[in-house]
């Protein structure tokens, strides 16, 4: 039994998800459950040979996936009837313009069978790969990951699972978390206002490709400008905060994060006049102001950001020789692949940075600033670089976000966004990119996928099965309004963070350095004891 | 002209006048030691030379070029390298990575590799443990590592701040043996020590500090023979 415990745990987590979505989700969750089981058992297996590892994982993977399937079964036969849908409803496949008629029971049977079969096969494959030599394994891993990530949106579209919008949001936040990881994880500078750089990237995009001030630049140019603007903002924020450490730095970044949305909210009538020469740079009204020259926007004060109304619509990316409407609000696929590409690009750059001289300098500054300066590391330059490099990637994310949503509002970039990004980094494991990505998937997946689904199910359930039986009108109102997990999302994140800090402070997938650091105290203790004994 | 010259430096910590006009010089190839009681300003002198604290008055010069106007990391590039008090190795890096960090300001890969071998031959213990995390080393090994890391920067003047602090007597001997070995190889060293007896044994010359001022300077031999030094710092009465 001991041997199957991990598989059962993984299966239970999978079951929790299939319990919410049922049907086709079992194939997707089965694949993931299989992959994690294969990874786990392949790594801990005592057997050396690839085939032996694969054979060994078969049974645990089967058990895990059957448990996963139980969730889907419960969904189909318990959750669905309770929420008021009939047991058997239409759930057709969408193949381009055509539709393949299927009902929910058929979908359940196919999903369950295919989910378990694919799950076990994937587990065997992943375990098999673990037995291969290092270089082959790496390539094979990346290849299978790419196949999965390429297949995902098509599967989503065909089955009508409708996860893609949430997945794109998750990707945006992963991009942000990767950037913040540079500042917090690598350089050790606590930044509580990271959303500000996200906002700067988004607003740069908004201004440079929208009717707001009549500039329509190409997205492929704007995204670089947005990244550069964010990087510059990183320098501007970094410069005055350099002498500060720890808590003080965190407070300044917190302030910066609060200021930026307020600035964007209030840039609605901009006028810049040089008082002595009366040269007007921006936004003068020739009838009212006495100005000698007017350089730009001379029909009265300039509305730069439209305040709370936000900038709308923002231009979409276009690729030469393809349909002009390739990137539209109706199709998600191009967006998915665009942000996917941005993430891959960012991972590549961040890896290079981390292993370069700059990466080592960040590490040294994080560990011991005095010692670092005695190695000839310039603390000023190093910290500024960390701030502006981290900001660069949020500039990418901001540009993508602005163009994808096609509208931006100051309220999107408030403090809670900074905190959620920070949570992803901490939950996943400071300083480890794989950990940060997993943290991002978990937190944003919960936020954008699982909680809303729970909310919908719960609402239907209340309406269909509970509210009719409640006669007290006050209680009825209370139940109708208050049972909404969406309202509790921040409380849930807070709770998760507290539990993590107690149980596993280094994060789910910690970097080796961080792990060493957190256990250093214990070892030093042991050292002191042995030295005292000697 | 001597290699490193400190001219009449005054250093303050806010309002506290820590160094009240210290002047000293170090010639090429010499070991010079600063001895004195706690709070006499020994470490502050080293910190002022290495740029971690700035003097309000006075000058520090290397071969006549001013150092006190440069930021700390530029002073390191000039070849003034301090092995800080309390070791301060990078605990989450391995021994060899720590040594590589010491050569951060250098670009000559081949020479760095040679220097790495030199450090390993000086401290065979570090070679044995080169893949171990520095945080898991004992105090003595960490001191070796910190010294080795300093040497990796090719110092023209090596500033050693309390290398024997908190070490068992056997290890203190080992550290001082190493200092003598470095001396033989021609490294210029400015040594700050609480352990005046050991320091005066290895040094060529010494300065005695007392509440921010130099009260005595002489050859190490004469200082050892000096009655007041014996009384105050060597525990001979």
């Amino acid at each position: 039994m001991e041997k199957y415990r991990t598989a059962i745990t993984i299966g239970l987590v999978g079951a929790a998800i299939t319990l919410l979505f049922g049907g086709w989700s079992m194939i997707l969750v089965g694949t993931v459950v299989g992959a994690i089981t294969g990874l786990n058992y392949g790594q801990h297996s005592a057997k050396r040979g690839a085939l032996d590892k694969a054979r060994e994982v078969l049974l645990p993977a089967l058990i895990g996936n059957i448990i996963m399937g139980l969730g889907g079964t419960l969904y189909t036969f318990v959750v669905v009837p309770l929420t008021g849908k009939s047991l058997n409803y239409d759930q057709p496949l969408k193949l381009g313009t055509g539709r393949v008629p299927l009902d929910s029971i058929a979908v359940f049977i196919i999903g369950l069978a295919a989910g378990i079969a694919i799950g076990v096969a994937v587990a065997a494959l992943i375990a098999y790969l673990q037995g291969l030599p290092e270089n082959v394994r790496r390539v094979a891993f990346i290849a299978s990951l790419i196949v999965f990530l390429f297949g995902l949106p098509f599967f989503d579209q065909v089955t009508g699972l409708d996860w893609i919008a949430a997945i794109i949001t998750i990707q945006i936040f992963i991009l942000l978390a990767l950037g913040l990881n540079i500042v917090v994880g690598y350089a050790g500078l606590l930044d509580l206002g990271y959303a500000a750089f996200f906002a700067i990237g988004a607003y740069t995009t908004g201004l440079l490709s929208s009717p707001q001030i009549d500039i329509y630049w190409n997205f492929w140019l704007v995204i670089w400008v947005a990244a550069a603007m964010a990087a510059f903002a990183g320098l501007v924020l970094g410069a005055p905060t350099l002498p500060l450490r720890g808590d003080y730095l965190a407070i300044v970044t917190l302030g910066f994060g609060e200021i930026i949305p307020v600035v964007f909210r209030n840039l609605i009538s901009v006028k810049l006049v040089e008082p002595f020469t009366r040269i007007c740079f921006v936004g003068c009204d020739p009838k009212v102001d006495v100005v000698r020259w007017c350089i730009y926007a001379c029909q009265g004060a300039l509305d730069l950001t439209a305040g709370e109304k936000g900038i709308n619509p923002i231009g979409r990316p276009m690729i030469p020789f393809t349909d002009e409407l390739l990137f539209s609000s109706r199709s998600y696929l191009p967006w998915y692949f665009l942000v996917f590409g941005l993430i891959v690009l960012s991972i590549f750059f961040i890896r290079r940075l981390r292993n370069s001289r700059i990466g080592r300098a960040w590490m040294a500054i994080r560990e011991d600033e005095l010692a670092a300066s005695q190695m000839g590391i310039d603390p000023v330059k190093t910290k500024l670089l960390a701030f502006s490099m981290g900001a660069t990637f949020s500039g990418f994310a901001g540009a993508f976000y602005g163009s994808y949503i096609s509208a931006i509002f100051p309220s999107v970039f408030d403090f809670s966004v900074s905190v959620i990004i920070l949570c992803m980094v901490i939950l996943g494991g400071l300083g480890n990119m794989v950990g940060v990505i997993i943290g991002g998937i978990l937190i944003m997946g919960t936020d954008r996928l699982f909680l809303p689904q729970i909310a919908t199910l719960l609402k239907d359930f209340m309406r269909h099965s509970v509210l009719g039986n409640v006669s007290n009108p006050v209680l009825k109102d209370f139940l109708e309004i208050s049972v909404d997990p969406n309202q509790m999302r921040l409380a849930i994140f807070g709770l998760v963070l507290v539990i993590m800090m107690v149980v596993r402070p280094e994060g789910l997938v910690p970097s080796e350095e961080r792990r060493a650091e957190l256990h250093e105290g214990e070892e030093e203790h042991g050292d002191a004891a042995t030295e005292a004994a000697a | 002209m001597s290699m490193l010259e400190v001219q009449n430096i005054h250093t303050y910590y806010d309002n506290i006048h820590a160094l009240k006009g210290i002047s000293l010089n170090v010639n090429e190839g010499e070991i010079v030691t600063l001895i004195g009681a706690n709070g006499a300003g020994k470490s502050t002198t080293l910190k002022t030379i290495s740029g971690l604290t700035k003097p309000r008055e006075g000058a520090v010069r290397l071969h006549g070029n001013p150092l006190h106007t440069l930021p700390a990391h530029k002073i390191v590039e000039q070849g003034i390298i301090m092995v800080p008090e309390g070791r301060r190795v990078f605990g989450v890096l391995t021994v060899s990575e720590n040594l590589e960090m010491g050569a951060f300001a250098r670009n000559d890969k081949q020479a760095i590799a040679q220097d790495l071998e030199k450090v390993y031959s000086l401290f065979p213990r570090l070679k044995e443990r080169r893949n171990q995390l520095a945080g898991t080393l004992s105090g003595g090994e960490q001191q070796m590592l910190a010294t080795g890391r300093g040497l990796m920067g090719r110092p023209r003047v090596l500033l050693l701040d309390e290398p024997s602090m908190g070490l068992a007597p056997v290890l203190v001997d080992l550290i001082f043996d190493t200092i003598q070995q470095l001396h033989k190889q021609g490294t210029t060293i400015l040594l700050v020590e609480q352990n005046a007896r050991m320091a005066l044994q290895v040094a060529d010359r010494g300065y005695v500090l007392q509440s921010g001022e130099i009260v005595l300077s002489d050859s190490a031999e004469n200082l050892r023979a000096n009655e007041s030094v014996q009384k105050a710092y060597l525990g001979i009465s």
Side-chain angles (χ1 to χ4, degrees):
Chain A
M1 207 57 210
E2 189 62 32
K3 203 178 141 201
Y4 302 115
R5 228 170 75 189
T6 322
I8 291 171
T9 318
I10 299 167
L12 281 173
V13 175
I17 299 171
T18 52
L19 180 64
L20 298 176
F21 295 95
W24 292 119
S25 76
M26 282 187 283
I27 295 183
L28 214 54
V29 177
T31 311
V32 176
V33 166
I36 298 174
T37 315
L39 211 57
N40 195 296
Y41 281 80
Q43 220 158 46
H44 294 128
S45 164
K47 301 244 169 66
R48 297 244 132 230
L51 265 177
D52 288 331
K53 278 182 192 258
R55 221 169 283 143
E56 208 182 40
V57 84
L58 286 178
L59 197 56
L62 186 65
I63 292 174
N65 274 298
I66 286 174
I67 294 174
M68 180 281 299
L70 285 179
T73 315
L74 278 177
Y75 172 85
T76 313
F77 295 107
V78 179
V79 176
V80 169
L82 276 180
T83 53
K85 274 189 186 167
S86 72
L87 195 58
N88 196 347
Y89 57 92
D90 275 340
Q91 204 178 351
L93 278 180
K94 294 171 202 153
L95 284 172
T97 49
R99 279 166 177 257
V100 180
L102 272 179
D103 64 26
S104 60
I105 297 292
V107 167
F108 162 69
I109 293 167
I110 299 172
L112 183 68
I116 292 175
I118 293 174
V120 174
V122 167
L125 172 74
I126 298 286
Y128 179 79
L129 295 181
Q130 301 266 315
L132 297 178
E134 176 70 31
N135 48 349
V136 185
R137 183 171 55 176
R138 269 183 80 85
V139 174
F141 263 137
I142 292 171
S144 25
L145 199 62
I146 287 176
V147 168
F148 175 72
L149 290 172
F150 262 78
L152 180 63
F154 294 104
F155 176 80
D156 180 79
Q157 202 173 38
V158 169
T159 58
L161 203 55
D162 271 347
W163 282 10
I164 190 87
I167 290 174
I168 292 175
T169 314
I170 293 173
Q171 285 174 307
I172 295 174
F173 274 81
I174 286 177
L175 197 51
L176 288 165
L178 286 173
L180 183 62
N181 183 41
I182 294 177
V183 185
V184 183
Y186 294 165
L189 306 164
L190 183 53
D191 186 347
L192 292 177
Y194 192 66
F197 302 120
F198 183 35
I200 287 165
Y203 268 91
T204 307
T205 311
L207 287 175
L208 293 180
S209 54
S210 78
Q212 189 65 31
I213 49 173
D214 258 339
I215 301 178
Y216 304 94
W217 285 7
N218 189 315
F219 173 82
W220 306 112
L221 173 65
V222 168
I223 192 167
W224 293 104
V225 178
M229 281 302 288
F232 177 70
L235 290 182
V236 171
L237 169 65
T241 55
L242 283 170
L244 305 175
R245 273 167 219 206
D247 310 349
Y248 303 104
L249 177 73
I251 290 167
V252 172
T253 56
L254 176 64
F256 186 74
E258 291 293 298
I259 289 167
I260 291 297
V262 173
V263 167
F264 285 134
R265 192 169 286 138
N266 289 312
L267 281 179
I268 47 174
S269 67
V270 182
K271 188 165 103 178
L272 254 179
V273 184
E274 208 280 308
F276 295 108
T277 54
R278 309 294 298 162
I279 295 173
C280 177
F281 293 101
V282 162
C284 296
D285 191 337
K287 285 172 213 145
V288 185
D289 304 302
V290 187
V291 291
R292 224 172 265 169
W293 293 293
C294 182
I295 292 171
Y296 184 74
C298 302
Q299 290 86 40
L302 183 69
D303 182 358
L304 208 56
T305 61
E308 208 59 70
K309 290 201 306 289
I311 298 178
N312 180 18
I314 296 169
R316 262 56 203 276
M318 283 173 203
I319 298 175
F321 311 116
T322 59
D323 184 2
E324 228 172 84
L325 293 174
L326 180 66
F327 287 89
S328 72
S329 343
R330 246 174 276 157
S331 62
Y332 287 109
L333 280 185
W335 296 107
Y336 172 87
F337 286 110
L338 174 59
V339 67
F340 182 54
L342 282 176
I343 291 177
V344 171
L345 194 73
S346 304
I347 291 176
F348 173 75
F349 277 128
I350 295 173
R351 271 181 70 99
R352 296 295 296 264
L353 273 175
R354 166 147 186 64
N355 297 329
S356 70
R357 276 170 66 79
I358 301 165
R360 276 184 294 146
W362 283 335
M363 195 285 319
I365 289 280
R366 185 186 76 213
E367 291 305 316
D368 189 332
E369 206 173 320
L370 185 144
S373 78
Q374 286 308 302
M375 306 294 109
I377 294 166
D378 183 349
V380 173
K381 210 172 84 187
T382 310
K383 285 188 193 172
L384 277 181
L385 255 172
F387 261 118
S388 79
M389 279 296 158
T392 307
F393 295 99
S394 71
F396 282 137
F400 176 86
Y401 177 82
S403 184
Y404 167 64
I405 303 288
S406 183
I408 45 174
F409 317 96
S411 54
V412 175
F413 308 101
D414 66 359
F415 178 58
S416 70
V417 174
S418 302
V419 171
I420 285 182
I421 303 168
L422 189 63
C423 284
M424 294 170 154
V425 175
I426 292 172
L427 176 76
L430 274 173
N432 184 327
M433 279 205 275
V434 176
V436 167
I437 291 171
I438 289 174
I441 292 173
L442 285 179
I443 288 192
M444 286 319 283
T446 311
D447 191 36
R448 295 297 152 100
L449 216 52
F450 307 140
L451 277 183
Q453 177 73 2
I454 292 175
T456 324
L457 290 177
L458 214 55
K459 207 169 161 193
D460 289 345
F461 169 68
M462 295 299 280
R463 197 170 295 152
H464 179 255
S465 315
V466 180
L467 291 179
N469 306 328
V470 178
S471 49
N472 183 340
V474 179
L475 181 63
K476 198 169 166 178
D477 272 0
F478 171 77
L479 286 177
E480 205 168 355
I481 295 164
S482 308
V483 181
D484 183 1
N486 275 329
Q487 292 173 358
M488 294 179 241
R489 54 192 273 269
L490 288 179
I492 293 171
F493 295 149
L495 196 66
V496 168
L497 210 59
V498 170
I499 293 172
M500 275 300 290
M501 285 299 106
V502 174
V503 179
R504 205 178 155 92
E506 66 265 41
L508 292 175
V509 190
S511 68
E512 251 153 60
E513 289 164 11
R514 203 49 76 161
R515 198 182 330 207
E517 206 168 319
L518 279 160
H519 296 280
E520 195 176 24
E522 296 153 31
E523 272 148 355
E524 254 175 27
H525 224 76
D527 254 17
T530 39
E531 252 169 52
Chain B
M1 193 172 64
S2 41
M3 191 178 191
L4 180 72
E5 266 181 295
V6 176
Q7 288 170 343
N8 192 32
I9 51 171
H10 291 260
T11 302
Y12 292 74
Y13 292 116
D14 293 325
N15 290 325
I16 300 162
H17 198 169
L19 298 185
K20 300 163 186 163
I22 300 275
S23 297
L24 57 88
N25 58 67
V26 181
N27 298 316
E28 190 142 19
E30 255 187 335
I31 297 188
V32 174
T33 182
L34 294 180
I35 56 176
N38 279 331
K42 307 185 298 286
S43 291
T44 308
T45 309
L46 284 199
K47 279 186 188 157
T48 308
I49 294 171
S50 60
L52 294 171
T53 54
K54 292 284 166 197
R56 275 196 205 168
E57 277 174 54
V60 181
R61 289 177 214 279
L62 182 71
H63 292 305
N65 303 320
L67 292 179
H68 56 282
T69 51
L70 299 176
H73 63 275
K74 291 278 178 202
I75 294 177
V76 173
E77 283 169 25
Q78 297 291 315
I80 308 285
I81 293 174
M82 182 166 78
V83 177
E85 186 178 347
R87 275 85 75 169
R88 306 188 92 137
V89 294
F90 298 111
V92 299
L93 294 190
T94 63
V95 167
S96 66
E97 284 168 336
N98 260 283
L99 292 173
E100 280 160 23
M101 283 303 297
F104 188 87
R106 297 168 56 188
N107 291 320
D108 40 350
K109 272 197 178 154
Q110 281 190 331
I112 291 174
Q114 281 171 12
D115 285 0
L116 192 64
E117 281 313 309
K118 253 189 229 167
V119 169
Y120 280 147
S121 64
L122 194 63
F123 301 110
R125 201 54 180 277
L126 293 183
K127 190 166 192 177
E128 282 166 34
R129 313 213 151 185
R130 62 175 175 267
N131 292 323
Q132 197 173 321
L133 291 183
T136 65
L137 297 180
S138 74
E141 288 162 343
Q142 286 191 8
Q143 184 61 51
M144 294 177 203
L145 180 56
T147 313
R149 191 179 60 178
L151 290 172
M152 288 300 290
R154 285 241 166 132
R156 289 156 94 176
V157 181
L158 187 66
L159 311 178
L160 294 175
D161 198 352
E162 306 272 12
S164 75
M165 193 174 72
L167 297 186
V170 193
L171 289 171
V172 174
D173 287 344
L174 185 93
I175 292 292
F176 275 94
D177 280 348
T178 318
I179 293 173
Q180 257 168 337
Q181 225 172 316
L182 289 173
H183 179 44
K184 271 183 208 140
Q185 292 167 9
T187 314
T188 311
I189 296 173
L190 179 55
L191 170 69
V192 157
E193 243 324 317
Q194 287 266 344
N195 190 337
R197 181 191 307 275
M198 294 295 279
L200 288 175
Q201 268 169 25
V202 297
D204 299 311
R205 290 188 298 119
Y207 292 87
V208 180
L209 261 76
Q210 217 168 56
S211 42
E213 282 170 295
I214 288 177
V215 291
L216 206 60
S217 79
D218 210 331
S219 71
E221 216 171 315
N222 290 346
L223 283 179
R224 267 191 312 238
N226 185 305
E227 226 170 86
S228 60
V229 171
Q230 285 184 349
K231 241 188 215 164
Y233 304 110
L234 302 178
I236 304 167
S237 53

